[in-house]
Amino acid sequence: MEEEKKLEGHSEENSYIRMKKFKFIMLIFLLVFSTAGITLIALSFGDEKAVSVAIPERKEFSKLYEAYDMLDEKYYEKVDHKKLIDGAIAGMVKALDDPYSDYMTKEENEKFQESISASFQGIGAEIQELNGEIVVVSPIKGSPAEKAGLKPNDKIITVDDKNIQGMSANEAVLLIRGEKGTKVTLGIQRPDNHEIIKMTITRDEIPINTVYPEMLENGVAKIQITTFSKHTYDDLTTALKEMEDKGMKSLIIDLRRNPGGLLDQAIGIANLFVPEGKNIVQVEYRDGTIEKTVAKGGKKINVPTVVLIDKGSASASEILAGAVSETVGIPLIGDKSFGKGTVQTADNFEDGSNVKYTMAKWLTPDGNWIHKKGIEPDYKVSLPEYANLSYIDPDKELKLSSASGEVKSAEEMLKVLGYKPGKIDGFYDTDTEKAVKTFQKDEKLKENGILTGETTVKLMNSLTEHIQKNDSQVKKAIEVISKEK
């Protein structure tokens, strides 16, 4: 490969390559990149004959070859040729200024494939690179990331104190993921808040269970879809059968914090609701060609249905939400969705690396492009402010006379849970200490009035349980669905 690069690099001197004389016969195959694609040229050499072969000149590559040769010959240390090539390709893709297009090395590609398989080890969060920053799209349900309090739109500034600004999403993933039981510390910045929150998360096995059914009161079935992986459609049909056997009279599909996934899975699920012959999604290519995917026949879900969305609902989630909203009029409830209206594909190289790039944009059944705009719900209902309280590091010790933003978060959590921490001002006074002691007593923990370790974890988990029991978006969904029966 190195020799091939050098041969092509001399094309600016002459568009012909003059080969030396050989005393034996040999056959060389050169792969020459042309505007039409890859051309295979066979060169045959014999005894005393010199052969000249024309090669189409690519002047736009001469600068690239020159830079490669310059570094290879003049850099003060020996360079890694593979890294140079990987870097050149990565830079080319980055120049597209598209957060959804990436060059993945073999290692990065393997991590990506893990994320859509049965399980992987890490913290369990979907991230993306946006304007040079690593942003959380959504944590996976039940993952260490969710339990720690990671939220959509959180910016990850550091990983184990290493600044990751300017990194690609794939580079960041390699730093964040790791073996089960190991810890990683993220420096998080929330929207409209310049304070860096240090969040230490213990990595775990992240099962890709994507469908979570439960039967609520009065025959209302709620099924949460957390992402669209290889088995989501099959798991959903199994869950629907389970809910039908339990007397399902109406259905809530929960797509909140679902960052998307495989397009075919979203289309298959949409087909359960969209009438035969109607559009599910339209894909528009760069030449203006539009490819429509229409619903097929087969089993359809006919019970009254609503769909929950929020700012963490992206990509395939938005395809499903847009399809059922525009074709069947299924109400959408919650917050405006994320707004990702493009489709990606990946081409592999022989060494296991690949390029993932945007190859089209997708439109809703009615031809709307929701990219960077999101989908507005029919009923806008947000969770209460306390659902967005900042994470408290369990490794820190908050006690009498402590003062910080984390103390203020703790005071607000205690108040929401029915305790009396006194003034919510970020200062750990005697009222705060008394409230912590009462909380510890109720939870059968050591009553020392210090917020750390198990007490901190239990406080945050109690708040999560409170939010789930008092889910304003689910309550609105039940209200809306009861009127449709």
Side-chain angles (χ1 to χ4, degrees):
M1 187 66 171
E2 181 183 349
E3 182 61 22
E4 180 183 323
K5 288 282 182 186
K6 288 182 178 178
L7 286 173
E8 293 175 359
H10 291 298
S11 63
E12 61 189 44
E13 298 175 7
N14 196 316
S15 62
Y16 294 87
I17 297 179
R18 184 162 302 278
M19 309 307 297
K20 295 181 179 180
K21 298 177 181 180
F22 289 90
K23 293 184 179 179
F24 53 89
I25 297 175
M26 62 184 297
L27 188 64
I28 297 177
F29 291 97
L30 291 179
L31 287 177
V32 180
F33 290 85
S34 69
T35 52
I38 299 177
T39 304
L40 187 64
I41 298 178
L43 305 178
S44 181
F45 307 105
D47 261 345
E48 301 295 324
K49 295 180 180 179
V51 181
S52 296
V53 180
I55 297 179
E57 186 176 359
R58 292 294 300 269
K59 291 183 179 179
E60 62 268 38
F61 283 118
S62 62
K63 186 176 179 181
L64 179 63
Y65 298 148
E66 186 178 345
Y68 178 90
D69 288 339
M70 183 190 305
L71 294 174
D72 188 31
E73 296 168 9
K74 299 179 181 179
Y75 189 65
Y76 84 106
E77 290 180 339
K78 186 176 180 179
V79 299
D80 184 323
H81 296 136
K82 184 179 183 303
K83 282 188 177 180
L84 286 184
I85 298 301
D86 285 342
I89 300 172
M92 201 183 312
V93 177
K94 190 177 181 66
L96 296 172
D97 199 24
D98 176 9
Y100 307 111
S101 294
D102 287 298
Y103 170 67
M104 289 183 272
T105 63
K106 179 182 179 181
E107 185 181 10
E108 291 168 342
N109 189 24
E110 287 172 350
K111 294 291 185 184
F112 173 74
Q113 294 304 324
E114 281 180 9
S115 68
I116 57 173
S117 61
S119 67
F120 63 92
Q121 293 184 359
I123 67 168
E126 176 82 8
I127 63 173
Q128 70 164 14
E129 184 273 329
L130 189 61
N131 299 323
E133 297 179 313
I134 300 300
V135 180
V136 176
V137 176
S138 193
I140 295 172
K141 180 180 175 66
S143 67
E146 184 188 55
K147 292 174 182 176
L150 206 63
K151 299 182 184 300
N153 294 323
D154 281 350
K155 295 177 183 177
I156 303 177
I157 308 300
T158 60
V159 177
D160 289 332
D161 292 325
K162 180 176 182 177
N163 193 300
I164 63 170
Q165 301 304 286
M167 281 190 182
S168 70
N170 292 313
E171 290 171 324
V173 164
L174 289 177
L175 291 177
I176 295 169
R177 282 194 186 171
E179 291 185 7
K180 175 181 177 180
T182 60
K183 292 184 177 182
V184 61
T185 299
L186 307 182
I188 302 297
Q189 191 176 66
R190 293 259 151 90
D192 304 320
N193 186 352
H194 295 296
E195 181 184 359
I196 303 296
I197 305 165
K198 287 297 182 71
M199 188 178 290
T200 300
I201 305 174
T202 301
R203 300 178 177 103
D204 203 348
E205 188 77 21
I206 310 298
I208 309 298
N209 298 323
T210 62
V211 177
Y212 296 83
E214 63 176 309
M215 183 60 76
L216 307 180
E217 296 179 355
N218 302 317
V220 178
K222 176 178 172 290
I223 301 180
Q224 182 177 11
I225 304 174
T226 58
T227 188
F228 295 88
S229 65
K230 294 178 180 178
H231 306 294
T232 301
Y233 173 82
D234 292 337
D235 291 346
L236 178 66
T237 54
T238 299
L240 286 167
K241 179 65 168 60
E242 178 187 336
M243 293 295 98
E244 287 171 352
D245 292 343
K246 290 183 178 180
M248 178 176 69
K249 297 178 182 177
S250 55
L251 176 63
I252 299 171
I253 296 289
D254 188 352
L255 298 178
R256 293 176 298 177
R257 295 193 177 186
N258 182 325
L262 300 178
L263 178 62
D264 65 328
Q265 298 293 304
I267 289 172
I269 292 169
N271 198 77
L272 295 172
F273 299 92
V274 178
E276 183 177 1
K278 287 198 172 185
N279 288 339
I280 290 177
V281 66
Q282 304 182 63
V283 175
E284 183 177 344
Y285 298 94
R286 65 187 288 178
D287 63 358
T289 302
I290 294 180
E291 182 181 280
K292 298 181 179 180
T293 298
V294 299
K296 301 175 183 177
K299 180 178 174 61
K300 304 289 180 181
I301 305 301
N302 295 314
V303 298
T305 302
V306 298
V307 172
L308 296 177
I309 58 173
D310 67 3
K311 57 189 176 183
S313 306
S315 192
S317 294
E318 294 171 299
I319 288 175
L320 177 56
V324 300
S325 172
E326 292 186 356
T327 61
V328 197
I330 288 178
L332 305 180
I333 298 169
D335 291 308
K336 184 172 72 172
S337 66
F338 183 83
K340 179 181 179 293
T342 55
V343 182
Q344 284 69 44
T345 189
D347 286 346
N348 295 316
F349 294 106
E350 288 185 2
D351 65 355
S353 61
N354 79 7
V355 172
K356 176 169 69 75
Y357 57 92
T358 300
M359 43 81 73
K361 58 185 181 182
W362 67 262
L363 314 173
T364 65
D366 291 344
N368 297 311
W369 194 36
I370 58 88
H371 196 58
K372 296 184 179 180
K373 295 183 288 186
I375 298 175
E376 291 285 354
D378 298 292
Y379 299 89
K380 182 171 176 54
V381 182
S382 298
L383 293 175
E385 283 299 315
Y386 61 74
N388 296 312
L389 286 175
S390 295
Y391 169 82
I392 306 171
D393 187 351
D395 291 336
K396 285 188 178 179
E397 192 174 84
L398 305 181
K399 56 185 179 181
L400 200 61
S401 297
S402 295
S404 67
E406 288 180 303
V407 171
K408 187 174 182 181
S409 289
E411 290 171 329
E412 291 177 319
M413 291 179 190
L414 288 164
K415 182 179 179 180
V416 168
L417 295 172
Y419 298 92
K420 299 177 180 179
K423 188 177 180 181
I424 310 297
D425 57 2
F427 182 71
Y428 206 113
D429 57 17
T430 53
D431 287 333
T432 310
E433 184 182 57
K434 184 178 178 181
V436 170
K437 283 184 177 179
T438 305
F439 174 76
Q440 289 172 328
K441 181 180 179 181
D442 291 345
E443 298 297 331
K444 298 179 172 54
L445 301 170
K446 183 180 179 180
E447 298 172 39
N448 58 11
I450 299 174
L451 195 61
T452 188
E454 190 178 359
T455 300
T456 302
V457 172
K458 188 62 182 177
L459 179 62
M460 291 191 291
N461 287 344
S462 296
L463 180 70
T464 299
E465 291 170 7
H466 179 83
I467 294 169
Q468 291 172 346
K469 289 178 181 177
N470 299 277
D471 192 324
S472 54
Q473 293 169 334
V474 171
K475 286 182 177 179
K476 183 64 177 181
I478 293 172
E479 176 192 323
V480 170
I481 215 167
S482 64
K483 295 176 181 178
E484 295 192 355
K485 291 181 180 179

